[in-house]
């Protein structure tokens, strides 16, 4: 069964460093998302992406964050200069459409630890 | 803005007992409603969803949920818990067409279900 994959499973970085989190969505899906979950808090929407551009982004998704689909299969989230408060589990998701009721398929997550 | 509240961050039941996980939403228009489950070291997996057909929705693994507009609730139930049901469960909402943030999921804080032998 097709699934969303994410690498790495755990990333440790120093504050101020750049990190790139990678995701491979399901191949025929058109819509891509990043969510994050800070330990003990809710899963929060970060950004949605369609047709090679951002559809929507949350207040969290400031200029330090960027997304890219560089090669038609990978979908990446870059954090330019990490802060301690960026430590969280980051989930990638994809869906075949964005018809509200379309299921979003989630990857297993990347745990980012900023020291 | 939409929001979701899950009552009880931890629920513990005995194997064979009824499972009831509570979810209430806040929205000016009834949204689409979802329950996701997360097993350790795995991604979120869709259990079931409500999209305005039948108010009682059946999902995978014997779970079901009932949409009650008057109570703004979408509680998840399973008649008989199994050890393999131990996981974290998330309720989520997505706006209907015409609303803002179409397709964006807003999650509750999650409920960890523990099943005792």
């Amino acid at each position: 069964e097709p699934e969303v994959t994410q690498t790495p499973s755990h990333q440790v970085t120093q504050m101020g460093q750049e990190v790139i989190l990678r995701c491979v969505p399901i191949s025929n899906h058109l819509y891509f998302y990043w969510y994050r979950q800070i330990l003990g808090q809710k899963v929060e929407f970060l950004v949605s992406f369609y047709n090679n551009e951002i559809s929507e982004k949350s207040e969290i998704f400031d200029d330090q964050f960027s997304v890219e689909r560089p090669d038609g299969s990978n979908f990446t989230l870059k954090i330019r200069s990490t802060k301690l408060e960026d430590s969280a589990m980051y989930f990638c998701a994809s869906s075949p459409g964005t018809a509200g009721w379309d299921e979003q398929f989630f990857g297993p997550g990347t745990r980012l630890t900023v020291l | 803005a939409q929001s979701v509240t899950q009552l009880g961050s931890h629920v513990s039941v005995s194997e064979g007992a009824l499972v009831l996980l509570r979810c209430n939403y806040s929205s000016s228009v009834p949204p689409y409603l979802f329950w996701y489950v997360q097993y350790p070291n795995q991604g979120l997996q869709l259990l079931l969803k409500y999209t305005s057909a039948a108010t009682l929705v059946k999902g995978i693994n014997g779970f079901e949920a009932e949409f009650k507009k008057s109570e703004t609730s979408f509680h998840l139930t399973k008649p008989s818990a199994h050890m393999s049901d131990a996981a974290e469960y998330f309720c989520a909402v997505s706006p209907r067409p015409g609303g803002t943030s179409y397709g964006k999921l807003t999650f509750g804080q999650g409920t960890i279900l523990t099943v005792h032998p």
Side-chain angles (χ1 to χ4, degrees):
Chain A
E1 185 173 333
E3 58 182 16
V4 176
T5 58
Q6 290 185 243
T7 54
S9 57
H10 193 185
Q11 173 93 46
V12 181
T13 190
Q14 296 290 326
M15 189 169 57
Q17 295 297 303
E18 174 183 288
V19 294
I20 297 176
L21 309 183
R22 291 184 166 78
C23 168
V24 179
I26 294 173
S27 63
N28 61 344
H29 285 188
L30 301 176
Y31 294 85
F32 314 109
Y33 308 84
W34 283 101
Y35 293 83
R36 78 171 186 191
Q37 185 180 30
I38 294 171
L39 190 63
Q41 298 186 24
K42 295 184 179 186
V43 176
E44 304 171 287
F45 169 81
L46 290 178
V47 65
S48 58
F49 190 86
Y50 168 69
N51 199 26
N52 279 323
E53 60 183 31
I54 290 174
S55 302
E56 184 176 357
K57 58 185 180 180
S58 71
E59 303 162 347
I60 305 166
F61 196 89
D62 61 22
D63 292 343
Q64 293 298 313
F65 291 87
S66 62
V67 289
E68 194 177 34
R69 189 156 159 80
D71 56 13
S73 62
N74 291 284
F75 179 51
T76 62
L77 173 69
K78 183 193 291 187
I79 309 174
R80 219 177 317 278
S81 177
T82 50
K83 307 184 187 78
L84 294 176
E85 54 265 35
D86 293 328
S87 294
M89 180 73 91
Y90 288 80
F91 294 105
C92 173
S94 69
S95 69
T98 189
W101 62 80
D102 278 334
E103 177 180 354
Q104 291 183 26
F105 292 78
F106 284 78
T110 293
R111 181 167 296 285
L112 176 65
T113 302
V114 182
L115 302 176
Chain B
Q2 298 184 317
S3 66
V4 181
T5 302
Q6 290 182 240
L7 296 175
S9 57
H10 288 81
V11 170
S12 181
V13 300
S14 298
E15 193 173 19
L18 171 71
V19 175
L20 171 60
L21 305 182
R22 297 177 189 274
C23 172
N24 288 88
Y25 68 90
S26 172
S27 176
S28 55
V29 176
Y32 298 123
L33 292 150
F34 306 81
W35 275 99
Y36 280 85
V37 61
Q38 185 181 29
Y39 299 102
N41 301 315
Q42 295 185 29
L44 284 76
Q45 178 185 2
L46 183 69
L47 272 178
L48 49 78
K49 61 183 179 183
Y50 168 74
T51 60
S52 79
T55 55
L56 183 62
V57 181
K58 294 189 185 299
I60 62 171
N61 302 338
F63 283 93
E64 60 184 37
E66 186 172 9
F67 170 70
K68 291 188 176 180
K69 183 179 177 181
S70 60
E71 298 177 8
T72 60
S73 69
F74 190 57
H75 301 330
L76 182 71
T77 59
K78 181 173 180 178
S80 176
H82 193 273
M83 297 294 288
S84 60
D85 295 325
E88 188 162 16
Y89 293 79
F90 295 91
C91 183
V93 299
S94 175
R96 290 185 177 271
T100 58
S101 307
Y102 190 41
K104 163 189 163 185
L105 289 173
T106 300
F107 285 88
Q109 75 270 32
T111 298
I112 295 173
L113 175 67
T114 303
V115 182
H116 297 288

